[in-house]
Amino acid sequence: MSNTEVPEARGGQGQVLDPETYRDSIGTMEQSGKRRWIFPKKPRGKYTNYRNLVSYLLLIIYFSLPFLKINGNPVLLLNVIDREFFIFGQPFYPQDFFILTLGAIASLIFIIVFTIAFGRIFCGWICPQTIFMEFIFRKIEYLIEGDRNRQMKLDRQEWNTEKIWKRSLKWSVYVVISLVITHFMFMYIVGYSEVIRIVSEGPFAHPTNFIVMILLAAAFYFVFAWFREQVCTLVCPYGRLQGVLIDKETVNVFYDFKRGENRSKWRKGEDRKAAGKGDCIDCYQCVVVCPTGIDIRDGQQLECINCTACIDACDEVMEKVGLPKGLIRYASEKEIEEEIPHRFTARMKVFALILVGLVGFLAYLLTSRGDIEAKFIKPAGSTYFLKDGTITNTYNYTFLNKTNEKKTVSIKVIEPAHGNINYSNSSHIIVDRDKIAKGTISISFPEKEMNLSKQNITIGIFDKDGKMIDSYKTYFEGPFKLQF
C-alpha cells in the first residue's frame, strides 16, 4: 500500500469511536488547543473529476458574468451604493425590495429542503469558499510545493533557500489571485466599466475605493492562505445549521460501518469474512485526503463538507485489493443501519410544498409587476386655486420605467371623471428605459363636482395605445363645505 504518512488514530484499531470521544473536539486542533495544520493528499477519482467540471464551470461563470448583458442591462448587478439592482437583466429598485426579500426567503427554504434531503452537498460542490480553496489556491499549492508528503517535509525543514523561495512564490501568487477575485467582486457591485475606470485613474484619485479593495483582498488572502478549513468548521453559519436539519434519513457521505467493521490491515489471501473482519483495511487513505482532517469512519461530523475525496480514495483502495467499492458512499444513516433505500420523508414534503408555494407567489409578483410605477405628490405647503368656478391643485409626478424600452405615457383622471389635466410641457411624457421622469401637472375640477374639502381622486397612467399601465390614488383639496 501507499507509504503516505497517516495521522495518529483517535480511536483504537478495529472499532468505531464512541461519539462522546470525538464529537467534543475539532479535527484541526490539538488537545492543547494548538492549530493542527492540514496537508490533504491530492484526491483523484470519479467524483473528483465531476467536481472539477462543476467548479471550473462555476469559475467561468463568476469571471465572465460581470461582462454579460441582457437587453443592454447587466445580467447581475447589486449596486447598493446607487440603489441599482439587476437580476437576469431585469431592473429592480428599492420599491421592489419586498420581491427581493421574498426571493431571499425562497432561497433559504430551498437550502433547508436541500440540506434535509442531501446534507452538505452544497458545501463540497458549490460553496465559493470550497471552490476558491480547493480548485484555485490548493492547486497552486500542489503545483509549487508538491503533494502531501512533500508539503509536510517542507513544513518541517528549516528556512533554507528552497523553503523561502517556494513559500514566497506561493504567497505572492496568492496575493495576486486575491486581488483579482476582489476586483471581480467589485464588478458585481458597481459594474465592470466603473472598476476599470477606477483602476485606470489610480489609487490617489479614489483613495476610499483603493483602501476598501486592499482590505477585502487582505481578507481573501487571510482566509485562503491561513484560515482555510476553519471557515467551514468555526465560522460558517450553514455548518451550524446542518446540526438542526440533518437526521438519520438525510443523504450524506457515510462510512458503511456494518460492512467495514471490524476494520483490520490487509493480508493477501486471507478470508476476512471467516476471520470476522470487515472490508475496511485501515489504510487511512480516507483521512489523508480529507481537507478538514476528519476520519469519516467515526460517523457524521460537523467538519464534513461532503467533498467526496474520501469516497474516491476508498474506492481506489477497494479496487486494488479486490473488494467491492462503496464502503464510503452517498447514503443515509438509516439506509446503512436498516439496509433500506432512501425515501422522501414527510418533513421534506412539507418544506418542498412551502417552497413551491413561495416560488409560485414570487413568479406571480414578477410577472404582475407593472412596467411603470407612478406617484403624484402635492408639493409641501401648496394649496388650491379657485377661479371662475374651477378648483385647481398642483402635483409633482414621478414615473419609474421598470422595462428595457423607452415608454411614452399620458395622464388622465379616472375618478371623478370630470377632471382636467394641465401639463407644464407636453401632454405625452417620455420615460427612458430604467430611468425616472419627474415633472409637474395641474388638475382642475368644476367647483360643483367637489363635495368635500379634501376628496379622494384616482389618476391613471396610459401608454401610447391608450392602455392603462398604472394608477395612483391621492387627494384633491378645495374650499371647506358644511356637510348635512
Side-chain angles (χ1 to χ4, degrees):
M1 298 305 298
S2 171
N3 60 354
T4 303
E5 297 184 43
V6 297
E8 181 182 354
R10 287 186 287 164
Q13 180 176 327
Q15 63 179 353
V16 178
L17 291 178
D18 186 324
E20 294 302 321
T21 66
Y22 73 90
R23 293 194 192 276
D24 57 357
S25 62
I26 298 176
T28 57
M29 193 173 293
E30 306 286 356
Q31 291 296 327
S32 63
K34 182 181 178 182
R35 166 87 175 269
R36 181 166 72 87
W37 198 264
I38 302 298
F39 297 95
K41 182 182 177 183
K42 186 188 299 185
R44 60 184 182 185
K46 178 180 68 174
Y47 284 105
T48 300
N49 294 337
Y50 291 154
R51 288 179 66 222
N52 280 330
L53 291 174
V54 172
S55 298
Y56 293 141
L57 176 62
L58 292 175
L59 286 171
I60 290 171
I61 292 174
Y62 175 78
F63 288 115
S64 62
L65 207 58
F67 303 99
L68 302 180
K69 293 187 176 184
I70 298 177
N71 296 323
N73 292 331
V75 174
L76 181 63
L77 182 70
L78 304 174
N79 190 343
V80 295
I81 301 172
D82 297 326
R83 296 186 298 178
E84 291 183 344
F85 306 92
F86 292 90
I87 301 176
F88 297 114
Q90 291 298 313
F92 291 85
Y93 301 90
Q95 296 89 333
D96 301 315
F97 185 76
F98 71 100
I99 298 179
L100 298 178
T101 302
L102 188 64
I105 294 173
S107 300
L108 178 61
I109 294 180
F110 173 77
I111 291 174
I112 291 174
V113 173
F114 199 79
T115 304
I116 291 173
F118 303 109
R120 288 184 76 175
I121 292 180
F122 171 85
C123 296
W125 290 74
I126 304 176
C127 176
Q129 161 71 18
T130 301
I131 291 174
F132 286 139
M133 181 70 248
E134 301 300 328
F135 296 94
I136 295 182
F137 289 89
R138 188 88 73 187
K139 287 188 180 296
I140 291 170
E141 192 168 58
Y142 288 140
L143 183 64
I144 296 174
E145 296 185 355
D147 206 346
R148 172 184 167 84
N149 289 343
R150 293 175 63 185
Q151 289 182 26
M152 294 175 69
K153 179 182 177 182
L154 185 69
D155 186 65
R156 287 192 299 262
Q157 71 186 40
E158 298 294 330
W159 282 92
N160 55 17
T161 304
E162 180 191 12
K163 186 170 183 177
I164 291 173
W165 82 262
K166 282 187 176 181
R167 289 289 170 87
S168 298
L169 177 60
K170 181 180 76 171
W171 293 336
S172 298
V173 175
Y174 280 5
V175 169
V176 173
I177 294 175
S178 298
L179 285 169
V180 170
I181 292 174
T182 305
H183 279 75
F184 273 84
M185 185 184 70
F186 265 78
M187 290 181 186
Y188 284 95
I189 300 174
V190 298
Y192 74 89
S193 57
E194 183 68 10
V195 171
I196 293 174
R197 184 185 69 83
I198 292 173
V199 171
S200 62
E201 292 178 358
F204 295 106
H206 304 277
T208 302
N209 301 78
F210 177 73
I211 292 172
V212 172
M213 191 82 72
I214 292 299
L215 290 176
L216 285 175
F220 271 103
Y221 177 83
F222 170 76
V223 167
F224 295 111
W226 188 82
F227 206 48
R228 298 191 162 197
E229 73 284 339
Q230 306 285 31
V231 173
C232 304
T233 59
L234 301 178
V235 178
C236 179
Y238 182 49
R240 296 292 183 266
L241 183 64
Q242 71 154 344
V244 179
L245 300 176
I246 290 176
D247 57 21
K248 283 193 170 187
E249 295 181 316
T250 301
V251 172
N252 266 309
V253 174
F254 268 106
Y255 164 68
D256 189 342
F257 57 88
K258 294 188 73 173
R259 173 187 155 190
E261 302 302 316
N262 288 317
R263 67 186 75 151
S264 178
K265 295 296 182 182
W266 173 255
R267 292 183 181 178
K268 190 174 182 180
E270 180 184 32
D271 187 344
R272 296 179 67 85
K273 187 174 182 180
K277 299 177 180 179
D279 284 356
C280 177
I281 66 172
D282 214 20
C283 64
Y284 281 94
Q285 294 306 295
C286 59
V287 180
V288 298
V289 297
C290 180
T292 59
I294 66 168
D295 188 339
I296 192 66
R297 300 173 298 174
D298 290 343
Q300 182 61 37
Q301 296 160 70
L302 178 68
E303 298 96 319
C304 179
I305 61 171
N306 280 214
C307 70
T308 69
C310 55
I311 297 180
D312 282 336
C314 185
D315 283 349
E316 183 180 10
V317 172
M318 291 294 102
E319 189 173 18
K320 287 181 178 179
V321 298
L323 293 173
K325 296 180 181 179
L327 181 59
I328 302 174
R329 64 182 186 273
Y330 276 122
S332 68
E333 187 176 355
K334 188 173 183 179
E335 178 182 343
I336 291 176
E337 287 179 349
E338 302 179 10
E339 299 181 358
I340 58 175
H342 174 69
R343 60 189 178 88
F344 207 54
T345 65
R347 186 167 67 141
M348 297 177 194
K349 292 176 182 178
V350 170
F351 276 107
L353 287 174
I354 295 173
L355 176 63
V356 170
L358 274 174
V359 171
F361 185 53
L362 181 62
Y364 166 75
L365 291 176
L366 289 173
T367 54
S368 63
R369 189 178 66 144
D371 293 344
I372 298 286
E373 182 173 317
K375 288 185 178 180
F376 295 85
I377 307 296
K378 288 181 65 62
S382 67
T383 185
Y384 64 90
F385 297 93
L386 178 59
K387 184 179 180 181
D388 299 331
T390 300
I391 306 172
T392 302
N393 280 208
T394 300
Y395 297 86
N396 292 332
Y397 65 78
T398 301
F399 295 157
L400 173 61
N401 186 354
K402 297 182 178 181
T403 69
N404 290 317
E405 57 185 27
K406 184 184 295 185
K407 291 287 185 179
T408 300
V409 299
S410 58
I411 306 169
K412 295 180 183 178
V413 178
I414 301 174
E415 186 181 355
H418 298 88
N420 182 47
I421 304 292
N422 301 305
Y423 295 89
S424 57
N425 295 309
S426 172
S427 61
H428 290 84
I429 302 167
I430 298 175
V431 190
D432 288 332
R433 49 177 287 179
D434 308 330
K435 298 295 182 182
I436 294 176
K438 296 183 178 182
T440 302
I441 61 169
S442 297
I443 300 179
S444 302
F445 280 96
E447 184 179 4
K448 63 181 180 180
E449 298 290 338
M450 294 290 102
N451 300 319
L452 301 172
S453 59
K454 184 178 286 189
Q455 184 162 325
N456 293 330
I457 65 171
T458 302
I459 305 173
I461 299 88
F462 297 80
D463 61 18
K464 59 184 179 181
D465 297 323
K467 178 183 176 183
M468 189 172 72
I469 52 179
D470 196 16
S471 63
Y472 190 83
K473 291 183 177 181
T474 183
Y475 65 91
F476 188 91
E477 291 184 338
F480 178 74
K481 295 183 179 182
L482 292 175
Q483 300 295 316
F484 298 98

